[in-house]
Amino acid sequence: MSKKSNTSKRYSAEFKRDAVALALSSEKTVTEVAGDLGVSPEGLRGWVKQAKIDRGEGPAGALTSDEREELRRVRRELAEVKKANEILVKAAAFVCPERKGAAGVGR
């Protein structure tokens, strides 16, 4: 009996691009193309959907790949800024204990 790994495979952008092109140009279903390529049908469907969004063919409000990457970057940056702010608030409370209850500190 074989066990399936819980780790996901990572495919190159070139592989995904070629797989999407094949899925869109083929007479076969996405499931058949996915089987031929050895990828999951759900994964290939997701790549096709994202490719259509990137070309402006997706639903209104859908994020392009570039917008998704920008959102990830901004969220990471926000988390870093929040961490830095917490450190500064703690440092200010340590340096100036009499200001601990001052308005705006720690909020």
Side-chain angles (χ1 to χ4, degrees):
M1 184 185 303
S2 68
K3 284 183 153 183
K4 286 192 174 185
S5 172
N6 283 340
T7 60
S8 64
K9 293 181 182 178
R10 294 286 180 179
Y11 298 98
S12 70
E14 182 181 12
F15 178 84
K16 290 178 183 180
R17 188 175 48 250
D18 292 346
V20 167
L22 182 60
L24 293 175
S25 66
S26 176
E27 297 287 324
K28 295 181 178 183
T29 66
V30 170
T31 302
E32 291 170 331
V33 172
D36 292 345
L37 296 174
V39 300
S40 76
E42 295 80 15
L44 182 55
R45 278 189 196 90
W47 300 342
V48 169
K49 179 180 176 184
Q50 190 61 50
K52 287 180 178 179
I53 291 169
D54 290 347
R55 289 194 310 247
E57 300 171 9
L63 298 178
T64 65
S65 295
D66 289 341
E67 290 168 332
R68 285 177 181 271
E69 181 54 39
E70 175 73 3
L71 182 57
R72 275 191 289 273
R73 185 189 64 74
V74 169
R75 284 180 174 166
R76 273 193 309 269
E77 190 175 313
L78 177 60
E80 290 173 12
V81 168
K82 283 182 175 182
K83 243 186 226 179
N85 189 48
E86 287 177 22
I87 291 169
L88 290 173
V89 167
K90 289 177 183 176
F94 180 75
V95 173
C96 302
E98 66 277 0
R99 290 194 44 112
K100 186 176 183 181
V105 176
R107 292 185 189 163

